[in-house]
Amino acid sequence: MDTYDLITRNAAEVVTDEEVRELAADPAGKRAYVGYEPSGVLHLGHLLTANKLIDLQEAGMEIVVLLADVHAYLNGKGTFEEIRDTAEQMQAQFVAYGLEADQTEFVYGSAFQLEDDYTLDLHELELSTTMNRAQRAMAEIAGDETAKVSHLVYPLMQSLDIEYLDLDLAVGGLDQRKVHMLHREELPDLGYEARPCLHTPIVADLTSGEGKMSSSEGVTISMEDSTEQLEEKVNSAFCPPTREPEGDLENPVLELFEYHVFPRFDEVVVERPEKYGGDLSYESYETLAADLESGELHPADAKGTLATYLDELIAPGRKKLREIRG
Ligand code: IYR
């Protein structure tokens, strides 16, 4: 695959395309990052951006994973000590998932966000950004809970991280786009260069196909799930035999094949008894989706296969988590 296609595959949006093309022309040694508020257990939301980091690693870029401990603290996720503990568990699960330990730099936010220069730059951003602007940037990240001053400081710090970690590309889910736009608008006023951004899609809720899959509500799949729990969740997923269900609905089973399975496996085999036509094999998402639409692939077989492949993807992280917890 061409480097630009690899860097941008499955991206919902790049800002700007021209800047990302420039990066793709010479990716060696360029630095890309995702920041995560530490959490003890990785779920599919984390893994979607991790898949993009694996693509970028394959394209020759250096990867930085920010364990955003100060951000989690500002977002009310617990005491500093609790957050630190979960950050260590998170790092171990990312490595088990496939982020090469020797090619990935894991950085704690608190390692640089408490320095004098950073703090003074933060205060400068506080002076130039309206509360309204900061609140809007934060709305999708903290939901309705954006009433505290900490929630206004949060997106300003995230904007600065991109400069302080010396990055060439900021990656995040679409829910991070407003923070990234704030970065692009505000950083030049501090004399820093705005960086390109890449946003991954938001996957629909597994059981309804509506809205977004979320770890706080509804069903998500995580490193904590046993094979049986995972099968149960996938089997109860919404999976009409079409890519485009009516209205605002999505087909989450197809989305998971597209964003989680095909990027990590060259071939996907659907095992079927001979009397139902025997095994099917797919090398691309497109052919699998087309077969689901034509009726060649039954939704129940698609779900069974999805569960098998997702299980394989989370198995190393699940094992790691069990070791950590003892
Ligand atoms: N806002 C992210 C966490 C985060 C991301 C980056 I990129 C940072 O520089 C800092 C924090 C989240 O919603 O998890």
Side-chain angles (χ1 to χ4, degrees):
M1 196 184 291
D2 156 83
T3 308
Y4 171 81
D5 290 343
L6 178 62
I7 291 176
T8 57
R9 82 160 151 189
N10 288 342
E13 169 183 72
V14 291
V15 188
T16 64
D17 188 57
E18 199 185 332
E19 291 169 42
V20 173
R21 279 185 191 279
E22 213 173 292
L23 198 63
D26 185 19
K30 297 277 166 46
R31 287 160 64 81
Y33 99 133
V34 179
Y36 301 95
E37 288 184 25
S39 106
V41 181
L42 295 191
H43 55 69
L44 288 184
H46 300 112
L47 302 183
L48 187 56
T49 41
N51 286 341
K52 181 44 68 193
L53 294 180
I54 293 171
D55 285 345
L56 299 175
Q57 219 158 39
E58 211 178 303
M61 296 181 72
E62 283 174 17
I63 299 306
V64 179
V65 171
L66 173 68
L67 301 165
D69 52 354
V70 179
H71 282 87
Y73 184 69
L74 290 172
N75 201 13
K77 297 290 170 66
T79 66
F80 224 80
E81 290 214 328
E82 287 162 354
I83 292 168
R84 278 248 157 187
D85 272 358
T86 57
E88 278 173 31
Q89 297 181 20
M90 186 179 223
Q91 176 169 344
Q93 290 168 79
F94 273 125
V95 172
Y97 183 65
L99 277 180
E100 300 292 340
D102 51 355
Q103 286 177 46
T104 310
E105 192 185 328
F106 288 91
V107 185
Y108 282 85
S110 54
F112 64 96
Q113 290 162 346
L114 306 172
E115 299 289 329
D116 297 354
D117 288 355
Y118 187 99
T119 307
L120 277 175
D121 273 345
L122 175 61
H123 292 332
E124 193 173 337
L125 269 184
E126 289 162 1
L127 265 176
S128 61
T129 312
T130 64
M131 294 205 278
N132 185 289
R133 182 85 172 79
Q135 208 154 20
R136 274 189 291 132
M138 197 55 191
E140 281 201 51
I141 294 173
D144 300 333
E145 297 293 318
T146 56
K148 299 279 168 53
V149 174
S150 66
H151 290 119
L152 304 182
V153 174
Y154 181 124
L156 304 186
M157 287 179 57
Q158 189 168 336
S159 302
L160 272 186
D161 291 345
I162 303 174
E163 169 65 29
Y164 275 77
L165 290 170
D166 194 19
L167 299 162
D168 301 288
L169 179 68
V171 177
L174 266 183
D175 52 346
Q176 310 293 319
R177 94 179 286 278
K178 287 192 177 154
V179 178
H180 287 159
M181 292 307 167
L182 184 100
H183 151 88
R184 289 184 61 93
E185 268 170 45
E186 297 289 337
L187 271 261
D189 288 349
L190 266 65
Y192 299 135
E193 201 183 325
R195 311 302 207 293
C197 311
L198 184 155
H199 301 131
T200 56
I202 303 290
V203 171
D205 177 68
L206 199 58
T207 26
S208 66
E210 268 180 314
K212 64 174 181 179
M213 187 184 280
S214 145
S215 52
S216 48
E217 308 150 37
V219 174
T220 188
I221 288 162
S222 80
M223 294 281 186
E224 223 165 16
D225 288 325
S226 66
T227 302
E228 295 72 32
Q229 285 169 320
L230 195 154
E231 274 169 6
E232 205 176 301
K233 288 179 183 179
V234 174
N235 282 332
S236 61
F238 177 62
C239 184
T242 171
R243 266 181 254 221
E244 285 179 24
E246 279 165 35
D248 292 335
L249 298 180
E250 302 291 340
N251 183 326
V253 170
L254 282 182
E255 288 184 324
L256 295 181
F257 269 114
E258 185 173 19
Y259 304 134
H260 288 275
V261 178
F262 279 100
R264 299 292 307 276
F265 295 93
D266 292 334
E267 189 192 17
V268 171
V269 177
V270 179
E271 291 183 5
R272 287 193 311 194
E274 279 310 321
K275 66 174 174 177
Y276 296 121
D279 291 357
L280 292 165
S281 154
Y282 299 101
E283 287 177 14
S284 75
Y285 165 71
E286 286 306 319
T287 50
L288 182 143
D291 270 8
L292 185 81
E293 285 194 312
S294 74
E296 173 66 20
L297 172 63
H298 191 276
D301 288 327
K303 289 188 201 180
T305 306
L306 178 64
T308 305
Y309 281 86
L310 288 180
D311 191 56
E312 196 172 321
L313 284 173
I314 71 160
R318 173 168 53 211
K319 185 160 165 270
K320 192 81 215 164
L321 199 57
R322 287 183 183 162
E323 278 166 27
I324 295 169
R325 290 177 171 175

